[in-house]
Amino acid sequence: MQADRLLVVGRFQPPHLGHLSLIKYSLGVSRETVVVVGSAQESHTLENPMTAGERVEALNIMLSETLGDDFCKRVKIVPVMDIAMNKVWVQYLTMLLPKFDGVVSGNELVLMLFEDMGFKAIKPPMYNRDVCSGTEIRRAILEGSNWASCIHPSVKKYLESIGFVERVKRLGGASDG
Ligand code: NAP
């Protein structure tokens, strides 16, 4: 299946190699992929520790280092705030984003909302799901175990530069020790 433009929607808290695999999958079946940084209004909570701007920066780093030319030519990154009404969310996206054919996602709610509006909704295979999950990464930080095995090394460096680990620990009420 070849689409003109597909969306990859996520919270990217933080961006990890599972997200990269999703974006590469989308680029394999579309001319252009728009990476939608969802819940852009959220930051500084345990579930959503990073600001939208920080997530855009981390995605920029990961994608420019891994996709080369394709990043400039075939990928756009757009932050989007949530709205209270799921039923009209996809219509809201059609207002904010360039014309798209559908979405690539592992999230059942996202797939359902796109399908209901007559758009393509593609569920690709999950990449190393046990460790490549934002929830698992944030949990590993709180437990003091290895949190970076599914994070691109340059993203790890960026996360360290913004004090990501300390922020998650403070939000989780854990001590630094
Ligand atoms: P996420 O946790 O960052 O994940 C983004 C995508 O990557 C999901 O499809 C996720 O699948 C997939 N993924 C994660 N780990 C993967 C792996 N190891 N291999 C392959 N794929 C992997 O973000 P999300 O929660 O799905 O983001 C959805 C966004 O849409 C949120 O910001 C949400 O608020 C927004 N949204 C808004 C509305 C509204 O405003 N009314 C309605 C619907 C959605 P999994 O889902 O399986 O983790």
Side-chain angles (χ1 to χ4, degrees):
M1 192 238 22
Q2 195 66 31
D4 186 48
R5 185 178 290 114
L6 291 175
L7 311 183
V8 170
V9 184
R11 293 182 2 262
F12 307 106
Q13 291 283 8
H16 56 63
L17 300 181
H19 296 134
L20 178 61
S21 130
L22 205 63
I23 293 162
K24 282 185 173 170
Y25 184 96
S26 176
L27 286 171
V29 293
S30 66
R31 181 189 61 80
E32 185 177 89
T33 291
V34 178
V35 179
V36 176
V37 177
S39 307
Q41 79 284 359
E42 298 283 348
S43 80
H44 294 79
T45 67
L46 198 47
E47 203 185 340
N48 292 292
M50 300 170 77
T51 67
E54 289 166 341
R55 291 176 269 160
V56 170
E57 281 199 63
L59 282 163
N60 261 318
I61 289 166
M62 179 168 78
L63 299 180
S64 61
E65 291 205 9
T66 52
L67 302 179
D69 261 8
D70 273 350
F71 176 55
C72 302
K73 293 184 182 150
R74 301 178 58 211
V75 179
K76 299 204 170 4
I77 305 177
V78 181
V80 172
M81 293 203 285
D82 291 334
I83 55 170
M85 298 157 288
N86 282 341
K87 177 71 182 165
V88 294
W89 179 61
V90 175
Q91 262 174 293
Y92 164 70
L93 293 179
T94 66
M95 179 186 77
L96 294 176
L97 302 173
K99 196 169 184 300
F100 53 80
D101 304 308
V103 73
V104 175
S105 178
N107 179 318
E108 283 303 326
L109 171 64
V110 169
L111 293 167
M112 191 193 321
L113 294 175
F114 274 78
E115 246 170 51
D116 285 356
M117 296 302 290
F119 286 93
K120 294 184 199 305
I122 304 162
K123 185 173 186 170
M126 287 286 123
Y127 174 88
N128 204 0
R129 190 61 171 146
D130 288 351
V131 282
C132 289
S133 137
T135 305
E136 287 311 314
I137 292 164
R138 297 189 303 275
R139 193 201 321 270
I141 289 174
L142 291 178
E143 288 172 353
S145 52
N146 178 14
W147 58 274
S149 62
C150 193
I151 305 258
H152 188 279
S154 301
V155 173
K156 180 172 183 252
K157 214 179 273 180
Y158 172 73
L159 293 175
E160 284 164 354
S161 80
I162 62 167
F164 177 72
V165 167
E166 294 73 18
R167 189 186 302 173
V168 170
K169 283 182 174 174
R170 282 189 75 179
L171 291 168
S175 75
D176 272 352

